[in-house]
Every structure is written in C-alpha cells, then in structure tokens.
C-alpha cells in the first residue's frame, strides 16, 4: 500500500465529477507532503500535545478489516471478551487526549516516505511508533489497523489477526457512501475544521490522510474513490493480509459468523449474550456524527460568532474614537 494507484479513470473519464455527483467542497490539490500542509499543521498545532503512551500489556489482537466491515461491533465484542482497552478508529479523533497529529505523521511516513541522500531506505514504522499512540491498548480495530495493516502485523508478530469482511460487496459499498462519503461532503465539518484546532486535526487525519489514501483518492474525492476503487482495494487488501499472516494466526471472519469462530480463534468461552451490532448507520455512526456536531462544529461556529462580534465591536469603537 506504499504506492498509490489513482482513482479509476474509466469510471469517470471526464474527471470533473464524482460518478455523477459533483464534489462541492473546495480542495487544495497539493501533495500531502507539500510545505503548505506542513505550515498549516504548525499553525494548528495543539498548545498542549499529549505525551507519548507506553505499552503496559502486549498487543494481542489486530482486526485489519476495512471500514464498515463490523469494526465497531468487533470492538464491543473484544471488550466483552476482556480485551481492555480495544482501540477503534473513533478513538483517533474522540480520545480524551488528541493523538490525531501522531496518526498524520505515521500516514505521511507510510505513503510519502523519504530516503536520505546516501540512499538509506526510509525508516520503517515500528512497534515503538505505534505504542506511542496505542500503548494502553491490547487490541485494535478499524482505521488504524486497516490503514497500517502490514506495519502492525510486522510490529506485533505475536498478535492474532482478524480479517473482518463483508459478504455483500454492493451493500458494503453503499454503506461506505452513506458514511465515509457523506462525512467527506459535509460543509459544516469542513468549515468548522478551519475554526477549531481539534476539528482541524479530525478532518485532516481522516478526510485528507487515512480514508482517501486507503481508498486511493489522493485528491480527497471519496465519492469517486469509493465508486471506482472500493471493490479492487478490498480484494487487494485481503490478498495482502493472507500473504503476510500464517494461517494459524489468521481468522477470516464475517459479522454474520458471530461469536463461535471468533471465540474459538481467541481461545475464549462464548458469552451468554447476543453478538453486538454496534455500528448501524442509524445507530453508532449517527451517534458519532451528533458527537462531532456537539464537540467541534457547534463550538467552531460559536468561535466564529465571537470573532465577528469582536471585529464589529472593534470597528464601532474605532469609528467612535475617530
């Protein structure tokens, strides 16, 4: 996954729309390693960045399935089985401390590697790098695990690997459109990202780095990428995982499989409870969108109103004093 393939040109030969849906949000069509983004990251740097975490327990389970393949249900299942804390993609942006800048740095190292002048290969992402962000976690699901699947598998050679998938590719693609694409086309979220530091990093890490690069959309157009690339990205991702992980360490799992194969693989007794289905579009995802609005979007627009009111007040006072 270190080399990006462009979004399918045959799916959109004109290049001016997203599979029939025009992309309305403005976008800076720059390399994510451009000095412009580095400058903006400095301008939006957190005033009190959290300290690096330290690993206290071994990493035990890595769930490398792509988004919308039961990732949050798996998180809830692993928590039920005693894997505390199980890290989910939501933690990247909703963690008590904001570690999003750290994930941006790792994504840039993965997708935009730099070699030294003497030809030394780029530095690999190691367990130490992941531990600085995941040190409190014994299991991980969703974006962190799927985007950095190869690196995590290498970094934690004793961890078991779950390749969670969806059987119905069309339903999976539709789910991606209803969630990832919907978020990518949100004017409120995009606008708020320029008015609040944490919101900037939430947008930056997901809408410029993790999701677009995972689905081969370096221009940021998730709609075009999902419609043109999702199918082959999924197949390529699954083939990569099968090639990297020994069979005895790998479970290929669908959410319909429920507890039995998962518990057998992990050596855990089957709980006397229904398998969790945590991330329905109207449930888990919708709740997270509302959390986004409460945490950043509303705060950002309050900031905007305060800035406008301050500017008006300063203007009135200046005119009065003159």
């Amino acid at each position: 996954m270190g080399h990006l393939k462009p979004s399918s040109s045959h799916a959109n030969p004109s290049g001016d729309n997203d599979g029939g849906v025009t992309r309305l949000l403005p976008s800076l069509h720059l390399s994510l390693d451009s000095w412009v983004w580095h400058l903006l990251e400095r301008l939006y740097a957190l005033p009190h960045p959290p300290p690096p975490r330290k690993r206290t327990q071994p990493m035990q389970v890595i769930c490398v399935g792509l988004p919308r393949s039961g990732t949050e249900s798996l998180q809830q299942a692993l928590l039920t089985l005693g894997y505390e804390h199980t890290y989910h993609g939501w933690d990247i942006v909703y963690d008590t401390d904001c570690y999003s800048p750290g994930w941006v740095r790792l994504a840039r190292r993965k997708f935009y590697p730099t070699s030294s002048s003497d030809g030394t290969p780029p530095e690999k992402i190691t367990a130490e790098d992941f531990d600085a962000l995941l040190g409190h976690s014994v299991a991980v699901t969703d974006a962190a695990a799927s985007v950095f699947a190869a690196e995590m598998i290498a970094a934690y050679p004793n961890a078991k690997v779950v390749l969670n998938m969806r059987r119905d590719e069309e339903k999976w693609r539709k789910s991606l459109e209803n969630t990832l694409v919907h978020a990518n086309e949100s004017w409120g979220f995009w606008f708020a990202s320029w008015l609040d530091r944490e919101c900037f990093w939430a947008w930056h890490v997901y809408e410029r780095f993790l999701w677009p690069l995972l689905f081969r959309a370096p221009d940021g157009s998730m709609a075009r990428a999902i419609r043109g690339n999702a199918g082959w990205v999924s197949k390529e991702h699954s083939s990569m995982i099968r090639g990297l992980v020994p069979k005895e360490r790998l479970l290929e799992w669908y959410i319909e499989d429920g507890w039995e194969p998962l518990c057998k693989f992990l050596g855990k007794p089957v709980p006397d409870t229904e398998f969790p289905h945590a991330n329905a579009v109207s449930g888990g995802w919708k709740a997270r969108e509302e959390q986004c609005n409460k945490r950043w979007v509303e705060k950002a627009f309050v900031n905007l109103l305060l800035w406008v009111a301050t500017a008006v007040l300063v203007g009135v006072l200046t005119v009065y004093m003159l």
Side-chain angles (χ1 to χ4, degrees):
M1 288 179 62
H3 298 286
L4 295 174
K5 294 183 181 180
S7 297
S8 298
S9 58
H10 66 273
N12 181 27
S14 65
D16 61 355
N17 65 71
D18 295 330
V21 178
T22 303
R23 177 173 170 79
L24 298 176
L25 291 182
S27 176
L28 296 177
H29 295 293
L30 301 168
S31 164
L32 290 171
D33 203 30
S34 165
W35 67 269
V36 175
W37 294 121
H38 285 277
L39 176 61
L40 284 170
E41 287 165 15
R42 287 180 176 272
L43 291 174
Y44 283 90
L46 301 173
H48 304 291
R53 287 174 166 140
K54 295 185 182 298
R55 180 152 297 283
T56 56
Q57 299 181 70
M59 178 65 75
Q60 299 178 49
V61 185
I62 307 170
C63 303
V64 295
L66 297 176
R68 307 307 299 170
S69 60
T71 61
E72 192 165 359
S73 296
L74 259 179
Q75 180 202 32
Q76 296 301 317
L78 291 172
L79 289 170
T80 300
L81 294 175
Y83 293 96
E84 186 75 46
H85 175 281
T86 297
Y87 193 92
H88 187 274
W90 291 121
D91 292 321
I92 292 176
V93 292
Y94 290 123
D95 209 338
T96 303
D97 295 314
C98 182
Y99 283 87
S100 297
W103 290 109
V104 167
R105 287 191 292 270
L106 290 190
R108 186 174 276 126
R109 283 175 58 186
K110 176 183 174 70
F111 292 103
Y112 298 88
T114 55
S115 300
S116 60
S117 57
D118 63 0
T120 303
E123 185 180 0
K124 293 183 178 179
I125 299 174
T126 66
E128 184 178 1
D129 296 314
F130 288 125
D131 287 347
L133 305 172
L134 296 171
H136 63 318
S137 305
V138 297
V140 57
T141 74
D142 199 59
S146 57
V147 173
F148 298 98
E151 291 79 7
M152 280 197 184
I153 289 167
Y156 304 111
N158 295 320
K160 293 188 175 183
V161 178
V162 177
L163 175 56
N164 42 301
M165 298 173 287
R166 292 281 294 270
R167 284 194 170 91
D168 191 321
E169 184 177 303
E170 188 56 36
K171 285 186 178 179
W172 174 64
R173 185 184 289 108
K174 181 61 67 175
S175 179
L176 291 172
E177 291 181 3
N178 290 337
T179 53
L180 274 62
V181 173
H182 177 72
N184 186 251
E185 295 177 345
S186 168
W187 269 97
F189 189 14
W190 176 84
F191 190 67
S193 72
W194 299 106
L195 301 174
D196 178 81
R197 275 194 178 94
E198 285 194 16
C199 192
F200 168 83
W201 285 106
W203 180 275
H204 199 51
V205 69
Y206 267 119
E207 305 301 340
R208 295 194 182 100
F209 279 90
L210 299 187
W211 286 339
L213 297 183
L214 180 63
F215 287 101
R216 316 307 199 273
D219 63 351
S221 174
M222 288 299 297
R224 181 164 57 241
I226 294 301
R227 288 161 193 161
N229 301 344
W232 67 259
V233 166
S234 176
K235 291 179 176 64
E236 182 182 82
H237 183 78
S238 297
S239 296
M240 178 189 71
I241 300 304
R242 295 180 185 117
L244 290 174
V245 185
K247 288 185 178 180
E248 67 274 10
R249 201 179 133 209
L250 175 65
L251 171 67
E252 297 190 24
W253 180 89
Y254 300 90
I255 193 167
E256 298 89 351
D257 296 341
W259 285 119
E260 282 75 13
L262 183 64
C263 292
K264 181 179 179 182
F265 177 66
L266 298 176
K268 300 284 187 179
V270 176
D272 186 20
T273 182
E274 184 180 353
F275 192 88
H277 294 275
N279 203 12
V281 173
S282 60
W285 182 273
K286 189 66 177 177
R288 293 298 186 172
E289 284 189 330
E290 292 173 358
Q291 186 176 354
C292 168
N293 288 331
K294 292 290 184 183
R295 182 164 180 172
W296 300 311
V297 177
E298 291 180 7
K299 177 183 173 183
F301 279 92
V302 169
N303 289 343
L304 177 62
L305 291 175
L306 289 175
W307 293 341
V308 170
T310 301
V312 170
L313 180 60
V314 170
V316 170
L317 291 175
T318 300
V319 171
Y320 179 79
M321 292 176 68
L322 293 176

